[in-house]
Amino acid sequence: GTDMVFLSGQLASPLDPSKPMAAAMTVEEFGDTKTQTISVLGKIKEILATQGYAMSDLVKLTLFVAADPRTGKMDFPGVNEGFKAFFKTPENPETVARSTFQVAGLVGPQYLIEIEAIAAKKSN
């Protein structure tokens, strides 16, 4: 009696949406970990909405976080700051189960976070 949506890993978008995607883009063109987290969760929110789901329907997130090449460290506090824009808010008082893994790198050095999502709600 439950419908589910599984989203593959989502990455941040460039800060300037008019810039064409290029392999040689830098972290500065995508923002720090907090900024990228907000970008990725925004994408997830939009994708869920197209399927009739909300952020409150999320049941599990898997986060892959790379070290910021400018600091050499994973910015987990930045991830948490980004989450505050989507969870435990007036719009969405819920939170979500999540696992976070530090990874050696993502598909490109400009990416600092990738998030997979699972959402579920009762069938109509």
Side-chain angles (χ1 to χ4, degrees):
T2 303
D3 291 327
M4 299 180 78
V5 172
F6 294 81
L7 300 181
S8 60
Q10 301 297 309
L11 296 163
S13 295
L15 295 172
D16 180 353
S18 67
K19 266 193 147 172
M21 289 292 289
M25 295 183 91
T26 66
V27 170
E28 287 76 19
E29 293 173 286
F30 286 82
D32 61 12
T33 302
K34 175 184 174 183
T35 303
Q36 289 195 28
T37 300
I38 291 169
S39 175
V40 174
L41 289 172
K43 276 186 177 179
I44 289 170
K45 182 177 180 177
E46 289 176 14
I47 294 167
L48 290 174
T50 67
Q51 301 298 312
Y53 287 75
M55 294 296 275
S56 58
D57 294 317
L58 287 168
V59 294
K60 177 72 168 75
L61 295 176
T62 305
L63 288 64
F64 303 96
V65 184
D68 187 322
R70 299 169 295 187
T71 65
K73 298 178 183 176
M74 174 180 80
D75 180 15
F76 191 64
V79 171
N80 286 333
E81 285 299 311
F83 262 70
K84 288 179 183 179
F86 294 88
F87 300 98
K88 297 278 189 177
T89 66
E91 180 185 341
N92 179 21
E94 305 298 321
T95 191
V96 62
R98 65 181 180 170
S99 300
T100 304
F101 300 92
Q102 182 171 358
V103 295
L106 295 167
V107 70
Q110 68 271 35
Y111 297 111
L112 302 177
I113 187 165
E114 181 173 341
I115 303 176
E116 295 177 345
I118 302 171
K121 64 181 183 176
K122 291 184 181 181
S123 301
N124 292 332

